[in-house]
Short mmCIF file of all heavy atoms in Angstrom, two decimals:
data_model
loop_
_atom_site.label_atom_id
_atom_site.label_comp_id
_atom_site.label_asym_id
_atom_site.label_seq_id
_atom_site.Cartn_x
_atom_site.Cartn_y
_atom_site.Cartn_z
N ASN A 1 94.17 42.61 140.05
CA ASN A 1 93.65 41.83 141.18
C ASN A 1 93.93 40.35 140.95
O ASN A 1 93.71 39.83 139.86
CB ASN A 1 92.14 42.07 141.34
CG ASN A 1 91.61 41.45 142.60
OD1 ASN A 1 91.62 40.25 142.77
ND2 ASN A 1 91.11 42.30 143.49
N SER A 2 94.39 39.67 141.97
CA SER A 2 94.74 38.25 141.84
C SER A 2 93.55 37.39 141.43
O SER A 2 93.73 36.35 140.78
CB SER A 2 95.33 37.72 143.14
OG SER A 2 94.39 37.85 144.19
N LEU A 3 92.34 37.78 141.75
CA LEU A 3 91.15 37.02 141.37
C LEU A 3 90.86 37.10 139.87
O LEU A 3 90.11 36.29 139.35
CB LEU A 3 89.93 37.49 142.16
CG LEU A 3 89.97 37.27 143.67
CD1 LEU A 3 88.70 37.82 144.31
CD2 LEU A 3 90.16 35.80 144.00
N SER A 4 91.43 38.07 139.18
CA SER A 4 91.15 38.23 137.75
C SER A 4 91.69 37.07 136.92
O SER A 4 91.28 36.87 135.78
CB SER A 4 91.70 39.55 137.22
OG SER A 4 93.11 39.51 137.14
N ASN A 5 92.60 36.29 137.48
CA ASN A 5 93.17 35.14 136.76
C ASN A 5 92.25 33.92 136.79
O ASN A 5 92.49 32.96 136.07
CB ASN A 5 94.53 34.75 137.35
CG ASN A 5 95.54 35.85 137.18
OD1 ASN A 5 95.56 36.53 136.17
ND2 ASN A 5 96.38 36.05 138.18
N LYS A 6 91.23 33.94 137.62
CA LYS A 6 90.33 32.79 137.73
C LYS A 6 89.32 32.80 136.60
O LYS A 6 88.92 33.86 136.11
CB LYS A 6 89.61 32.82 139.07
CG LYS A 6 90.53 32.64 140.25
CD LYS A 6 89.73 32.56 141.53
CE LYS A 6 90.30 31.45 142.36
NZ LYS A 6 89.37 30.81 143.23
N SER A 7 88.88 31.62 136.20
CA SER A 7 87.86 31.53 135.16
C SER A 7 86.46 31.68 135.74
O SER A 7 85.51 32.01 135.04
CB SER A 7 87.97 30.21 134.41
OG SER A 7 87.81 29.13 135.31
N GLU A 8 86.33 31.46 137.05
CA GLU A 8 85.05 31.57 137.74
C GLU A 8 85.32 31.79 139.22
O GLU A 8 86.30 31.30 139.76
CB GLU A 8 84.27 30.27 137.53
CG GLU A 8 82.84 30.30 137.97
CD GLU A 8 82.12 29.02 137.58
OE1 GLU A 8 82.39 27.98 138.21
OE2 GLU A 8 81.28 29.08 136.68
N LEU A 9 84.45 32.55 139.87
CA LEU A 9 84.61 32.84 141.29
C LEU A 9 83.49 32.20 142.10
O LEU A 9 82.35 32.18 141.66
CB LEU A 9 84.58 34.35 141.54
CG LEU A 9 85.71 35.16 140.90
CD1 LEU A 9 85.43 36.64 141.05
CD2 LEU A 9 87.04 34.79 141.51
N SER A 10 83.85 31.73 143.28
CA SER A 10 82.82 31.24 144.19
C SER A 10 82.51 32.34 145.18
O SER A 10 83.23 33.33 145.29
CB SER A 10 83.29 29.97 144.92
OG SER A 10 84.21 30.32 145.93
N ILE A 11 81.46 32.16 145.92
CA ILE A 11 81.03 33.16 146.90
C ILE A 11 82.05 33.36 148.00
O ILE A 11 82.10 34.39 148.62
CB ILE A 11 79.64 32.73 147.42
CG1 ILE A 11 78.69 33.62 146.78
CG2 ILE A 11 79.53 32.67 148.89
CD1 ILE A 11 77.44 33.92 146.92
N THR A 12 82.92 32.38 148.22
CA THR A 12 83.91 32.45 149.30
C THR A 12 85.28 32.94 148.83
O THR A 12 86.23 32.93 149.61
CB THR A 12 84.07 31.07 149.96
OG1 THR A 12 84.46 30.12 148.96
CG2 THR A 12 82.78 30.62 150.63
N ASP A 13 85.40 33.40 147.62
CA ASP A 13 86.70 33.84 147.08
C ASP A 13 87.07 35.28 147.42
O ASP A 13 88.13 35.74 147.02
CB ASP A 13 86.71 33.72 145.55
CG ASP A 13 86.89 32.30 145.07
OD1 ASP A 13 87.46 31.48 145.82
OD2 ASP A 13 86.46 31.99 143.95
N PHE A 14 86.24 36.00 148.15
CA PHE A 14 86.43 37.44 148.31
C PHE A 14 87.10 37.86 149.62
O PHE A 14 87.13 39.05 149.93
CB PHE A 14 85.09 38.16 148.14
CG PHE A 14 84.51 37.97 146.78
CD1 PHE A 14 83.54 37.01 146.55
CD2 PHE A 14 84.94 38.73 145.71
CE1 PHE A 14 83.00 36.82 145.29
CE2 PHE A 14 84.42 38.56 144.45
CZ PHE A 14 83.45 37.60 144.23
N THR A 15 87.65 36.91 150.38
CA THR A 15 88.32 37.24 151.64
C THR A 15 89.43 38.26 151.39
O THR A 15 90.19 38.15 150.43
CB THR A 15 88.89 35.96 152.29
OG1 THR A 15 87.79 35.12 152.62
CG2 THR A 15 89.68 36.27 153.53
N LYS A 16 89.48 39.26 152.25
CA LYS A 16 90.49 40.33 152.21
C LYS A 16 90.42 41.19 150.96
O LYS A 16 91.41 41.81 150.57
CB LYS A 16 91.90 39.76 152.39
CG LYS A 16 92.12 39.10 153.73
CD LYS A 16 93.53 38.61 153.88
CE LYS A 16 93.71 37.91 155.22
NZ LYS A 16 95.05 37.39 155.40
N GLN A 17 89.26 41.24 150.31
CA GLN A 17 89.09 42.07 149.11
C GLN A 17 88.37 43.37 149.46
O GLN A 17 87.66 43.46 150.45
CB GLN A 17 88.29 41.31 148.05
CG GLN A 17 88.99 40.12 147.47
CD GLN A 17 90.18 40.50 146.61
OE1 GLN A 17 90.18 41.51 145.92
NE2 GLN A 17 91.22 39.68 146.66
N ASN A 18 88.56 44.36 148.61
CA ASN A 18 87.79 45.60 148.68
C ASN A 18 86.62 45.44 147.72
O ASN A 18 86.82 45.28 146.51
CB ASN A 18 88.64 46.80 148.26
CG ASN A 18 89.78 47.05 149.21
OD1 ASN A 18 89.65 46.85 150.41
ND2 ASN A 18 90.89 47.47 148.69
N LEU A 19 85.40 45.46 148.25
CA LEU A 19 84.22 45.28 147.44
C LEU A 19 83.43 46.57 147.35
O LEU A 19 83.36 47.34 148.32
CB LEU A 19 83.34 44.17 148.01
CG LEU A 19 83.98 42.79 148.01
CD1 LEU A 19 83.07 41.77 148.68
CD2 LEU A 19 84.30 42.34 146.60
N ILE A 20 82.83 46.78 146.20
CA ILE A 20 82.03 47.97 145.95
C ILE A 20 80.63 47.50 145.58
O ILE A 20 80.45 46.87 144.53
CB ILE A 20 82.65 48.82 144.83
CG1 ILE A 20 84.08 49.22 145.22
CG2 ILE A 20 81.80 50.04 144.55
CD1 ILE A 20 84.96 49.62 144.07
N PHE A 21 79.68 47.78 146.44
CA PHE A 21 78.30 47.35 146.24
C PHE A 21 77.40 48.56 146.07
O PHE A 21 77.66 49.64 146.61
CB PHE A 21 77.79 46.56 147.45
CG PHE A 21 78.41 45.20 147.61
CD1 PHE A 21 78.48 44.62 148.87
CD2 PHE A 21 78.92 44.48 146.55
CE1 PHE A 21 79.02 43.35 149.06
CE2 PHE A 21 79.47 43.21 146.73
CZ PHE A 21 79.51 42.65 147.97
N VAL A 22 76.29 48.36 145.36
CA VAL A 22 75.26 49.39 145.28
C VAL A 22 74.44 49.32 146.56
O VAL A 22 74.12 48.24 147.05
CB VAL A 22 74.38 49.18 144.03
CG1 VAL A 22 73.24 50.17 143.99
CG2 VAL A 22 75.22 49.30 142.75
N ASP A 23 74.10 50.49 147.11
CA ASP A 23 73.36 50.58 148.36
C ASP A 23 72.08 49.74 148.31
O ASP A 23 71.39 49.70 147.30
CB ASP A 23 73.01 52.05 148.61
CG ASP A 23 72.44 52.27 149.99
OD1 ASP A 23 71.24 52.00 150.16
OD2 ASP A 23 73.18 52.69 150.88
N ASN A 24 71.77 49.09 149.41
CA ASN A 24 70.60 48.21 149.49
C ASN A 24 69.29 48.92 149.17
O ASN A 24 68.34 48.29 148.72
CB ASN A 24 70.51 47.56 150.87
CG ASN A 24 71.56 46.49 151.06
OD1 ASN A 24 72.27 46.11 150.15
ND2 ASN A 24 71.66 46.01 152.27
N ASP A 25 69.20 50.21 149.42
CA ASP A 25 67.98 50.95 149.12
C ASP A 25 67.82 51.22 147.63
O ASP A 25 66.76 51.68 147.19
CB ASP A 25 67.96 52.30 149.86
CG ASP A 25 67.82 52.11 151.37
OD1 ASP A 25 67.28 51.08 151.80
OD2 ASP A 25 68.26 53.01 152.10
N LEU A 26 68.87 50.96 146.86
CA LEU A 26 68.85 51.33 145.44
C LEU A 26 69.04 50.15 144.50
O LEU A 26 69.31 50.34 143.31
CB LEU A 26 69.96 52.37 145.18
CG LEU A 26 69.85 53.62 146.06
CD1 LEU A 26 71.11 54.44 145.97
CD2 LEU A 26 68.63 54.44 145.65
N THR A 27 68.90 48.93 145.01
CA THR A 27 69.08 47.75 144.16
C THR A 27 67.99 46.73 144.47
O THR A 27 67.24 46.88 145.43
CB THR A 27 70.50 47.15 144.33
OG1 THR A 27 70.73 46.21 143.31
CG2 THR A 27 70.68 46.52 145.69
N GLY A 28 67.91 45.70 143.65
CA GLY A 28 66.88 44.69 143.81
C GLY A 28 67.19 43.68 144.91
O GLY A 28 68.33 43.54 145.36
N ILE A 29 66.16 42.95 145.31
CA ILE A 29 66.29 41.98 146.41
C ILE A 29 67.29 40.88 146.09
O ILE A 29 68.01 40.42 146.97
CB ILE A 29 64.90 41.41 146.81
CG1 ILE A 29 65.02 40.60 148.11
CG2 ILE A 29 64.29 40.57 145.70
CD1 ILE A 29 65.34 41.40 149.32
N GLU A 30 67.36 40.45 144.82
CA GLU A 30 68.32 39.40 144.46
C GLU A 30 69.76 39.87 144.70
O GLU A 30 70.58 39.13 145.21
CB GLU A 30 68.15 38.97 142.99
CG GLU A 30 66.84 38.34 142.67
CD GLU A 30 65.82 39.35 142.16
OE1 GLU A 30 66.06 40.58 142.27
OE2 GLU A 30 64.78 38.92 141.66
N MET A 31 70.03 41.12 144.32
CA MET A 31 71.38 41.66 144.52
C MET A 31 71.67 41.87 145.99
O MET A 31 72.78 41.60 146.46
CB MET A 31 71.57 42.95 143.73
CG MET A 31 73.00 43.45 143.75
SD MET A 31 74.20 42.27 143.06
CE MET A 31 73.78 42.30 141.34
N ILE A 32 70.69 42.32 146.74
CA ILE A 32 70.86 42.49 148.19
C ILE A 32 71.21 41.14 148.81
O ILE A 32 72.14 41.03 149.63
CB ILE A 32 69.60 43.08 148.84
CG1 ILE A 32 69.39 44.50 148.37
CG2 ILE A 32 69.68 43.01 150.36
CD1 ILE A 32 68.03 45.09 148.73
N ASN A 33 70.48 40.09 148.45
CA ASN A 33 70.75 38.75 148.99
C ASN A 33 72.15 38.28 148.61
O ASN A 33 72.86 37.69 149.44
CB ASN A 33 69.71 37.75 148.50
CG ASN A 33 68.35 37.99 149.13
OD1 ASN A 33 68.24 38.61 150.19
ND2 ASN A 33 67.30 37.53 148.47
#
């Protein structure tokens, strides 16, 4: 993944990416946010 070359990611770096999240019913509020 092209983002793997970065030393740090910002919240806006994920455009056009495939993301895998844990379902909102199964994770904490901080992760949901």
Side-chain angles (χ1 to χ4, degrees):
N1 189 296
S2 60
L3 296 179
S4 72
N5 296 323
K6 294 185 137 208
S7 60
E8 190 174 72
L9 296 171
S10 76
I11 255 192
T12 58
D13 284 335
F14 297 98
T15 296
K16 297 182 181 178
Q17 293 291 324
N18 295 325
L19 296 176
I20 302 159
F21 290 154
V22 176
D23 190 280
N24 287 352
D25 292 335
L26 304 167
T27 193
I29 190 67
E30 296 93 348
M31 188 59 70
I32 293 169
N33 290 338

